[in-house]
Amino acid sequence: MHGVDFMGIALQSARMAAQNGEVPVAALIANSSGEILANTQNRIERDNNPLAHAEMLAIEQAARQKKNWRLNDCDMFVTLEPCAMCAGAIVQARLRRLYFAAFDEKAGAVVNGPALIHNARNIHEVEVYGGIKESEAQKILLAFFEALRNKNANKKPSLTKLD
């Protein structure tokens, strides 16, 4: 699509999220002309906001950029299969296509779990393509969680004296 490696750009943003202590998930939205309307990463920790998933932030940013909540001429590129909240927002925003990197068997809701995108009752149908640069996304996620586990393993447990 337009010779731009949108998923590669999203993966770079995911790496930046990891450096900022966020789960390394990033989302990018481009319009049919190939213009990037949003390039976001998780900000849950930074904003203390459980809604600050990369996909939600990207939809909000792209809608503001377009001055229209209908993103039906836009495609989203995200580094991890979206959760239920984000999958619902993708449908509501009327995105044309969703491309994601790594599958998420635990919390994913596009292909895994409730598979919300392909529900016959949806008001809009989104084309879905999964597994784009999957191994690269998995490496970023695995390295982040391994570093987090190692950091937590090195912490000494605090003891509370009970009277």
Side-chain angles (χ1 to χ4, degrees), residues 1-24:
M1 177 183 199
H2 304 285
V4 178
D5 181 10
F6 294 117
M7 189 62 77
I9 295 168
L11 287 164
Q12 254 326 96
S13 291
R15 286 185 192 90
M16 289 173 27
Q19 291 171 356
N20 294 327
E22 297 283 354
V23 173

Side-chain angles (χ1 to χ4, degrees), residues 47-92:
D47 295 356
N48 286 314
N49 181 354
L51 305 177
H53 289 206
E55 300 94 325
M56 301 294 281
L57 298 169
I59 289 168
E60 183 179 8
Q61 189 176 332
R64 261 197 321 269
Q65 185 83 2
K66 275 189 70 168
K67 295 179 175 55
N68 190 339
W69 63 270
R70 290 177 184 89
L71 302 176
N72 53 346
D73 69 331
C74 297
D75 301 333
M76 178 181 279
F77 298 80
V78 63
T79 58
L80 183 65
E81 178 182 355
C83 69
M85 174 180 69
C86 296
I90 288 165
V91 171
Q92 291 298 320

Side-chain angles (χ1 to χ4, degrees), residues 27-154:
L28 179 149
I29 295 179
N31 66 17
S32 57
S33 299
E35 177 187 5
I36 296 173
L37 302 178
N39 183 8
T40 60
Q41 53 195 243
N42 276 356
R43 290 195 333 233
I44 296 165
E45 297 297 331
R46 186 190 96 178
D47 295 356
N48 286 314
N49 181 354
L51 305 177
H53 289 206
E55 300 94 325
M56 301 294 281
L57 298 169
I59 289 168
E60 183 179 8
Q61 189 176 332
R64 261 197 321 269
Q65 185 83 2
K66 275 189 70 168
K67 295 179 175 55
N68 190 339
W69 63 270
R70 290 177 184 89
L71 302 176
N72 53 346
D73 69 331
C74 297
D75 301 333
M76 178 181 279
F77 298 80
V78 63
T79 58
L80 183 65
E81 178 182 355
C83 69
M85 174 180 69
C86 296
I90 288 165
V91 171
Q92 291 298 320
R94 315 290 202 272
L95 281 158
R96 179 176 57 176
R97 293 186 196 105
L98 168 67
Y99 299 90
F100 68 87
F103 290 84
D104 186 350
E105 293 178 14
K106 184 177 179 183
V110 174
V111 174
N112 290 292
L116 295 173
I117 299 268
H118 294 297
N119 184 318
R121 299 176 123 191
N122 282 350
I123 55 172
H124 174 74
E125 189 170 329
V126 179
E127 290 179 42
V128 176
Y129 303 91
I132 315 297
K133 297 192 177 203
E134 181 178 17
S135 64
E136 189 175 346
Q138 286 175 332
K139 286 177 188 172
I140 294 167
L141 287 159
L142 290 172
F144 174 80
F145 286 112
E146 182 178 340
L148 188 62
R149 278 191 300 277
N150 290 339
K151 179 181 172 185
N152 289 335
N154 293 330

